[in-house]
Amino acid sequence: MDLQHLTFCQPGTRFYDRLRDDASAGEPYPLASGPLPDGWERETNAEWAHLSPADREIRPQGWKVHASATLDNADEILRIGQDWCLEHRINFKFVRSKAILMQRNSKYGDRSSSGKFITIYPAGDDELRMILEELGALLEGQQGPYILSDLRWRGGPLYVRFGGFVARMSADETGQRVPCVEDPEGNLVPDVRGPAFRPPPWAQMPSFLQEAVEARARGTMRDFPFRVTSALHFSNGGGVYRGTDTRTGQDVLLKEARPHAGVDEVGRDAVERLETERRILVRLDGIAAVPSLIDYRKGSEHLFLVREFVEGKALQRVVSGRNPLLNGRDEPEALQEYTDWAMRVLDDVAAAVDELHARGIVYADLHPGNILITPDDEIAFVDFETSDDIETHEGQTIGAPGFRAPPHYRGIDVDRYAMGCLRLSMFVPLTTMLPWDPTKADDLIALVAHEFPVPEDFGERVRDELGELAYEGHPVASNGRVWAPPTPADWAVMRERIVRGILGSATPERDDRLYPGDVGQFLVPHGGLSLAYGAAGVIAVLADGGLPVPPEHLDWLTDHARAAGDASPGLHDGLAGIAYALELADRGDDAQDLLARARSSAGSPTDDTLLSGSAGIGLALAFFARRTGSAEQLDAAVAIADGLTGRGPDLGDHAGVLRGPSGPALLYLALYDQTGDGALLDHAAAALRADLARMGWRPGATPDSAEWNLGLLQTGSGGAGIVLAQLLARRPDDELLEARDAIHAVVGQRYAPQPGLLLGRAGLLLARHELRSAPDQDPAVAAHLRALGWHALPVDGTVMFFGDGLLRLSCDLASGSAGVLAVVDHVLGAAEERLALHLFGTR
C-alpha cells in the first residue's frame, strides 16, 4: 500500500476521495466562498482560494512568500494576512478551510508543503521586502510548522521560496507532467518542491534575504553529541535516523519531531507524541523486547529522542520474503517450516505484549511494521508514540490500516484486536478489509487453514482476539457469500450486479470525476477523465461489452474532455485514451476531435511509453485506422513507430508494458497486423528482450532469482508476457518461448494482494489466460477466478471490489470493478472481442 492512499480516505466514505467544496472539507473561510471586496476576483480549486485584484497581472514566477499556521492560530493569521494583502492590493491565496489545513499538517501530509497556509505573490523585489518587513512585524510571535522547502524570515511564520506563480506543466525525465518554471534560456524545467530549500542556481536572490540565509546557517545543530549516519524513514512529523553517539561510539536510533507538524486526529503534533514515547520507554525499561532510552533533547528547532539501535528487519519485510504463499511455493516442507516459524514469532509477540500490559501500558499500535526481527530471530518493538496507560486509554488516534481496532475498543482490547489481525497477516496480509465486512474474518481464517498447517485452535484464537467486530462510521456490507467461481453459464447474473455497482456509484454532478476509482484520478491533471483511473476506462469496458452506458455519462466525458485544455495527450492518462473510449461508445466525431488534440499537443515527446507517451498515441492511431480505414492515421502511427525504432529497443527507464519497452513492442505488433511489415516483428522481439533483461530474466533463470518473478501487469512481468505471447503467435522464437513459459508459471501464483487489473489478481488472471499454450482448462485460471472473491464486497445488492491499497472500493479500469469485469468477460468468452483489453496486449 502506498501511504498516499491514506490522504484520500475521508471518514465514512466508500471510495477514495479528496476534500472538496462540501462538508468533507469543513466550513470554508469567508473569503473562500463569500462576498468579495470591490475590484477583486477569486478562483478556487480543491485546496486553495486565490484572490487577485482585477486590474493587476500576476508574474509567471519569482520569489514568493508563504505564511505557516497551526490549527489554533490559523484564523488570526488569515485575518491579519488577508487584510494586509487586500489593503495593498497584492495577489494571494490561502487554504480554503481548517479541515484542509489539518490534512496538510497531518502525519501523512506532504512534508514539502506542510504548514503552507497563505501564499503571497509580490510584483518584484521591492514588494517582496515590504511584505516580509511589514506583514512579518504584524505576525511576529506567531507559530507554525517549519516549511522545509523554504527560507525562513526572522522568527515569525513567514517563509520565502523561488517558484512558479502560475501553473505551467511539462514532462520531466520520466515523462510525468510536473509544475515547471522557465530557466534563463526559456526552457521549462521542473519546479522542484522537495523538503529542502534549494532554489534554482540561476535564480538571483535579493540581497536583503542574506540575513535569512545567515540565520539558517547558524541554526545548524551545535553541541549535539550524535552523528547521523543514514536516514531510515521520513514522515510529515519528522525523520528517523541511524547514528552514532560520539561520546561512546554506540550505534543509536534518533527519532525527530517537528513542532506543529504530523498532527493526529485529536490534534497532537509530533512533539507531543515523542514526549509520550519518552515517558513510555522509561516505564518499560528492562523489558527485553523494548529498546532502551538513551537521550532526549532539542537539536536546532526540532526535538530528538535517542534510543538503543536494534539491528533487524521489520516483520512485514521478513514475512514477505519467507511466506511460501506470497512467494509462489507450495511444497509441504516449506509450508510446515514457515508455519512453525510464524507460530513461534506470534507466541513471542503475545508474551511481550503481556509484559507491557503487566506494566500498565497498552501498546496501541501493534502491527508488523513496528516489530523487528533481529539477526538472532528475536523480536523487538519500536514506536511507542501512541502508547498509553491502560486505565486512561481512550482509543487509538493513529493506527496502521489492517490493525486499527474498531473505534469503541479501549485499552487491552485494542492490542488483542491487533494481535488477532497479526495472526492472520502472518499468513494472508489482507486484514485491511475487515472493517468493511466482518465476515471477511471467517473467510481469511478458512483461507489460512486451507493453505497452511496451522494448529486446530488457530481460528478460535483469532476470533477471540478480534472480539465483536462492529465498525461505526463505515458503510459495512451485508453478510453472506458474495462470490462463487463464475462459469460461462452463471456469469451473466454476477456481471449484472457488478455493472449496477459501477453505475450506481456514478457522480455526474461532480466535475473532477464521474466514477470513483483509485487516487490516481486526483494525482494528475484531469485524472478523473482518464482511461486508467477515470471515466474513459469504465465507459470503454461497458461499451466494449455491449453493456448500457447512460447517455448523460457519455455527455459528461465529452464535455469535460473538451474543457480540459491542459490534459495530457497520452493513452492511459489523457486525450488519446478518452478518444479511444468514445470511439468504442459510438461517439466517433467527438473521438476524432480529441484524437486530433492529442496529436497536436504531443509535440516531440520525451516519453516513449504506452502509459502517457508516443507508444500509446501510436497505438490509439493504429486502432482508429483499423476502425475507420484512415490511411492518414495509419501513416501517422507508422511514423511514430519509426521514431521509436530509430531510438533503439531499450527505451525509457522502467520495465513493463506501461512504462517499459514492451509498450512500444505492442505498437509494433498492431502495425504488423495492418501493414505486414516483417521488420516490425524484429523490432518487437528486440524491445521485448530489452524489457525482459531489465526485469532480470535470462535463459535458464529460475523464478526466485530476479525481479520478473513479480507477475503483476504494471510493475512485473505479466504485461510483458501478454505482449510476448502475441509475438510468438506470429513468429516462433525458442528463447522467447522459454521466457513465455517462465512467466506463465509466475502468473499462476496463488496470492495476490489486491484484485485490480494493473496491480492485482485480475491482471494475473488475464496474463495466465493469454500465456496458455493450449486451450485446455487451466487449474490456475480457475483458481484466480475463485480467488477474486477474496476482494469482492456486497454493497446494496451489488458486487464491488476493493481498489489498490484495500482501503476503499474502486470502479475504474486499472484498480477496480471495471477491470475485473473486462477480464472475466474475456476469460469466460462473454464478449466476442474485448477491444478495451487490446490496450494491454490481448488479441
Side-chain angles (χ1 to χ4, degrees):
M1 180 186 62
D2 190 328
L3 288 179
Q4 69 183 349
H5 282 79
L6 292 171
T7 304
F8 296 93
C9 292
Q10 308 309 328
T13 59
R14 289 175 176 166
F15 306 106
Y16 293 113
D17 206 350
R18 60 185 175 192
L19 293 173
R20 300 181 291 114
D21 290 318
D22 57 19
S24 68
E27 182 68 25
Y29 289 112
L31 279 185
S33 60
L36 288 174
D38 291 341
W40 283 80
E41 298 174 343
R42 176 176 56 218
E43 292 184 7
T44 60
N45 59 26
E47 293 190 336
W48 296 92
H50 191 151
L51 272 64
S52 305
D55 58 353
R56 176 167 166 153
E57 294 290 331
I58 188 170
R59 294 191 293 166
Q61 63 189 49
W63 291 95
K64 55 187 171 182
V65 177
H66 288 119
S68 177
T70 70
L71 298 178
D72 293 330
N73 66 8
D75 291 349
E76 184 177 3
I77 286 179
L78 179 58
R79 177 184 59 79
I80 295 171
Q82 73 182 24
D83 288 351
W84 192 91
C85 289
L86 291 172
E87 177 186 352
H88 292 83
R89 300 188 64 77
I90 296 176
N91 291 284
F92 70 103
K93 70 177 181 180
F94 58 92
V95 172
R96 292 190 299 106
S97 73
K98 190 171 291 189
I100 298 174
L101 178 64
M102 181 173 181
Q103 185 178 83
R104 293 171 67 85
N105 288 356
S106 71
K107 183 174 182 180
Y108 300 110
D110 182 356
R111 296 176 68 233
S112 64
S113 63
S114 176
K116 293 178 182 177
F117 179 50
I118 305 174
T119 305
I120 307 172
Y121 302 98
D125 290 353
D126 290 342
E127 200 165 84
L128 171 65
R129 185 168 192 165
M130 180 177 68
I131 295 168
L132 293 173
E133 293 184 347
E134 294 188 13
L135 183 57
L138 294 174
L139 294 174
E140 185 176 355
Q142 297 284 0
Q143 299 296 309
Y146 195 105
I147 299 177
L148 299 176
S149 62
D150 290 22
L151 178 67
R152 187 175 190 175
W153 177 253
R154 296 177 180 166
L158 296 187
Y159 295 78
V160 183
R161 175 184 176 273
F162 186 93
F165 287 14
V166 297
R168 291 190 288 180
M169 308 293 290
S170 187
D172 64 9
E173 65 277 3
T174 69
Q176 298 299 302
R177 289 171 62 80
V178 296
C180 290
V181 291
E182 187 176 311
D183 68 14
E185 287 73 44
N187 302 309
L188 288 181
V189 296
D191 183 2
V192 179
R193 303 177 181 184
F197 177 63
R198 293 193 180 95
W202 41 263
Q204 185 173 358
M205 182 179 293
S207 59
F208 56 83
L209 291 181
Q210 188 59 36
E211 67 169 276
V213 174
E214 293 171 357
R216 183 184 181 91
R218 289 194 302 271
T220 55
M221 293 186 292
R222 301 177 187 276
D223 302 321
F224 192 70
F226 305 99
R227 185 180 71 252
V228 171
T229 56
S230 62
L232 304 179
H233 172 71
F234 289 107
S235 76
N236 197 23
V240 180
Y241 311 90
R242 183 171 185 170
T244 302
D245 189 331
T246 59
R247 302 164 297 186
T248 64
Q250 178 184 2
D251 281 348
V252 296
L253 183 130
L254 300 94
K255 291 191 68 173
E256 171 194 33
R258 298 177 56 206
H260 313 299
V263 179
D264 63 24
E265 294 175 8
V266 295
R268 298 189 308 167
D269 69 0
V271 170
E272 291 178 84
R273 291 196 304 277
L274 195 67
E275 170 58 28
T276 295
E277 181 156 8
R278 182 202 65 78
R279 178 176 62 84
I280 296 297
L281 287 178
V282 171
R283 290 271 300 272
L284 299 179
D285 184 49
I287 294 179
V290 178
S292 300
L293 178 68
I294 295 173
D295 204 343
Y296 184 73
R297 65 170 66 206
K298 188 173 184 178
S300 188
E301 298 193 24
H302 298 176
L303 287 177
F304 289 85
L305 180 148
V306 186
R307 65 159 174 80
E308 168 192 5
F309 182 83
V310 179
E311 193 75 54
K313 294 181 178 179
L315 177 60
Q316 61 190 17
R317 289 184 57 198
V318 179
V319 168
S320 66
R322 294 184 63 157
N323 188 325
L325 182 63
L326 275 58
N327 295 326
R329 300 173 59 195
D330 58 3
E331 305 90 346
E333 298 81 5
L335 293 168
Q336 185 66 60
E337 179 185 355
Y338 176 78
T339 301
D340 292 343
W341 174 83
M343 296 305 298
R344 201 257 314 155
V345 169
L346 288 167
D347 288 344
D348 290 348
V349 172
V353 170
D354 287 343
E355 288 191 79
L356 268 61
H357 293 168
R359 297 276 184 101
I361 299 298
V362 53
Y363 195 167
D365 199 16
L366 179 68
H367 64 85
N370 278 349
I371 302 169
L372 298 184
I373 302 297
T374 71
D376 295 330
D377 221 20
E378 302 296 329
I379 67 163
F381 291 159
V382 298
D383 197 354
F384 293 87
E385 64 179 26
T386 61
S387 299
D388 200 356
D389 296 332
I390 290 174
E391 297 301 323
T392 60
H393 184 245
E394 296 183 354
Q396 288 177 280
T397 56
I398 291 178
F403 299 87
R404 185 168 181 170
H408 62 281
Y409 281 35
R410 300 288 185 271
I412 289 175
D413 288 343
V414 168
D415 286 346
R416 284 175 52 78
Y417 176 86
M419 194 69 218
C421 291
L422 185 65
R423 291 188 194 280
L424 290 172
S425 69
M426 290 284 285
F427 299 98
V428 286
L430 298 172
T431 55
T432 49
M433 299 186 295
L434 294 183
W436 297 90
D437 184 355
T439 65
K440 290 291 183 186
D442 290 333
D443 292 343
L444 295 181
I445 289 169
L447 179 59
V448 172
H450 180 267
E451 297 289 345
F452 295 91
V454 292
E456 290 187 5
D457 66 346
F458 178 84
E460 181 181 344
R461 295 183 68 179
V462 170
R463 292 186 186 92
D464 180 58
E465 288 167 336
L466 292 180
E468 294 293 329
L469 297 183
Y471 299 84
E472 298 176 5
H474 269 308
V476 179
S478 59
N479 293 336
R481 185 67 54 184
V482 62
W483 183 267
T487 66
D490 60 16
W491 171 235
V493 174
M494 186 67 69
R495 188 179 193 234
E496 188 269 340
R497 294 177 69 191
I498 295 172
V499 173
R500 281 195 290 111
I502 294 171
L503 295 178
S505 303
T507 55
E509 70 279 3
R510 291 178 57 163
D511 287 326
D512 58 343
R513 77 167 190 210
L514 176 59
Y515 306 106
D518 188 70
V519 302
Q521 62 185 202
F522 303 118
L523 296 178
V524 298
H526 311 294
L529 310 181
S530 69
L531 195 68
Y533 299 113
V538 177
I539 286 174
V541 168
L542 296 177
D544 191 27
L547 296 162
V549 182
E552 58 269 26
H553 291 190
L554 292 172
D555 293 340
W556 186 97
L557 179 58
T558 302
D559 293 344
H560 285 76
R562 285 173 179 162
D566 58 343
S568 162
L571 179 61
H572 288 273
D573 70 342
L575 296 172
I578 300 170
Y580 189 99
L582 290 174
E583 174 64 23
L584 289 176
D586 295 325
R587 291 284 183 101
D589 291 342
D590 295 321
Q592 291 288 352
D593 289 344
L594 291 174
L595 184 63
R597 275 180 56 195
R599 295 173 64 181
S600 65
S601 61
S604 300
T606 58
D607 178 355
D608 299 319
T609 68
L610 190 70
L611 174 70
S612 57
S614 55
I617 296 169
L619 189 64
L621 284 165
F623 163 75
F624 274 87
R626 189 178 67 168
R627 288 270 287 197
T628 66
S630 170
E632 187 276 331
Q633 288 176 334
L634 180 59
D635 290 343
V638 170
I640 289 175
D642 288 343
L644 292 170
T645 58
R647 289 193 286 278
D650 197 10
L651 298 169
D653 299 321
H654 299 272
V657 68
L658 287 185
R659 300 183 69 184
S662 298
L666 182 57
L667 170 62
Y668 306 152
L669 292 175
L671 291 176
Y672 167 77
D673 289 344
Q674 291 171 261
T675 67
D677 182 358
L680 288 165
L681 295 182
D682 297 332
H683 293 306
L688 282 163
R689 282 187 165 86
D691 211 354
L692 291 168
R694 190 170 288 173
M695 295 177 195
W697 185 85
R698 64 190 183 282
T702 56
D704 58 356
S705 66
E707 293 179 2
W708 63 269
N709 186 37
L710 183 66
L712 304 177
L713 255 64
Q714 179 169 316
T715 58
S717 58
I722 294 174
V723 182
L724 176 60
Q726 300 307 324
L727 172 64
L728 291 172
R730 287 152 180 78
R731 188 175 73 182
D733 185 306
D734 290 342
E735 181 181 298
L736 292 180
L737 181 62
E738 181 185 345
R740 185 205 68 183
D741 292 344
I743 297 173
H744 177 263
V746 166
V747 296
Q749 64 195 60
R750 291 177 294 162
Y751 175 79
Q754 43 211 13
L757 176 62
L758 295 187
L759 294 172
R761 187 173 298 278
L764 296 174
L765 169 60
L766 180 65
R768 182 75 180 198
H769 179 266
E770 293 299 299
L771 285 161
R772 67 195 189 283
S773 57
D776 299 336
Q777 193 171 23
D778 183 349
V781 167
H784 281 320
L785 286 168
R786 179 173 61 253
L788 281 170
W790 295 2
H791 302 98
L793 196 70
V795 179
D796 301 330
T798 72
V799 175
M800 305 194 76
F801 289 87
F802 286 94
D804 291 348
L806 304 185
L807 300 175
R808 293 292 188 271
L809 306 179
S810 172
C811 295
D812 66 30
L813 174 63
S815 70
S817 295
V820 174
L821 175 66
V823 170
V824 179
D825 257 1
H826 177 70
V827 170
L828 295 182
E832 292 183 3
E833 187 176 32
R834 295 300 317 199
L835 292 173
L837 292 177
H838 287 189
L839 302 173
F840 302 95
T842 63
R843 284 290 185 275

